[in-house]
Amino acid sequence: MGDLGDKITAAFGSVPQVSALDDDMRTYVVELATSMLEDATEHGSTPADVKDELKEAIAPMLEEFEVPEDAVESLCTTLSKLLVSGDEEIEDDGKDYVVQLRDIRLGFGARMLLHKTDLILERNHRYGLVGENGIGKTTLLTRVVKGDIRGWPTHLKCVYVQHEVLAEASETVIHWAHTHLAYHLPEAVE
């Protein structure tokens, strides 16, 4: 995890309720904080902004494990002072990627949905998302549509069509989207 990860792990270890979390959740929260600090450094965020962002991201998870609010506040203050540089280059393989995110993490409440996951989408390819009920497919797609994934390209426009949508059997998804959504797909998609 590196020097920053070790410092963050030590900061989390100083809060007994966080130390008591199960290994996966503790690792997730530490990696989330590491990722946020690296991102904040890259974007020139202030420690005060980082503290607020950390609190917003990790407080709900820690509250579910009964970590007191003052302990979360103290932890976020300590973490916000650990801003470092984190410019990790992704090697260019010559492919035309629309999305190229490395080592992302995604949680919902106290549940970790993605852990150290690469999300790489190549232009002009089609992708499907398959998984058991309750595993987080809808949560992932909802976060993609909102652009609520660290590093998600802001220029992308995403539309999520709920699977409960009623349409004629002969109607294509593209046709339905053109006629029913406020956001219209570009003609090149057809």
Side-chain angles (χ1 to χ4, degrees):
M1 195 177 324
D3 191 40
L4 176 62
D6 293 340
K7 289 177 183 177
I8 291 172
T9 300
F12 274 91
S14 68
V15 179
Q17 294 90 338
V18 175
S19 298
L21 296 176
D22 68 70
D23 287 342
D24 284 341
M25 182 51 67
R26 187 175 51 253
T27 300
Y28 171 69
V29 175
V30 167
E31 288 178 352
L32 176 63
T34 303
S35 177
M36 290 179 73
L37 285 169
E38 289 172 348
D39 193 46
T41 299
E42 192 174 305
H43 291 90
S45 299
T46 67
D49 290 339
V50 171
K51 177 183 170 185
D52 292 342
E53 290 171 12
L54 283 165
K55 229 170 107 174
E56 185 178 318
I58 66 175
M61 289 180 267
L62 296 179
E63 284 172 5
E64 288 194 32
F65 292 94
E66 300 176 1
V67 177
E69 190 175 332
D70 60 328
V72 173
E73 179 80 22
S74 174
L75 178 64
C76 291
T77 300
T78 301
L79 293 174
S80 68
K81 295 175 183 175
L82 298 175
L83 291 176
V84 297
S85 176
D87 296 330
E88 185 177 320
E89 292 290 322
I90 296 175
E91 67 182 67
D92 182 13
D93 62 3
K95 295 184 180 178
D96 186 13
Y97 295 111
V98 178
V99 174
Q100 190 174 18
L101 302 176
R102 303 287 183 175
D103 200 27
I104 63 172
R105 297 136 185 110
L106 179 65
F108 182 72
R111 190 162 166 233
M112 189 169 25
L113 302 174
L114 298 177
H115 175 71
K116 291 187 176 184
T117 302
D118 293 343
L119 179 59
I120 302 169
L121 304 175
E122 197 173 342
R123 188 177 308 281
N124 297 321
H125 283 68
R126 294 181 181 169
Y127 298 91
L129 190 57
V130 180
E132 296 176 18
N133 288 343
I135 203 153
K137 299 178 300 292
T138 301
T139 300
L140 174 61
L141 292 175
T142 302
R143 300 276 300 270
V144 164
V145 168
K146 291 179 180 177
D148 190 25
I149 296 177
R150 184 185 65 82
W152 187 262
T154 56
H155 68 279
L156 288 183
K157 301 288 185 217
C158 301
V159 178
Y160 172 53
V161 179
Q162 296 282 339
H163 58 277
E164 294 92 7
V165 170
L166 297 176
E168 298 294 322
S170 61
E171 190 173 24
T172 67
V173 172
I174 299 295
H175 181 264
W176 186 92
H178 273 294
T179 57
H180 292 87
L181 298 177
Y183 172 78
H184 292 286
L185 298 172
E187 296 302 318
V189 173
E190 294 184 55

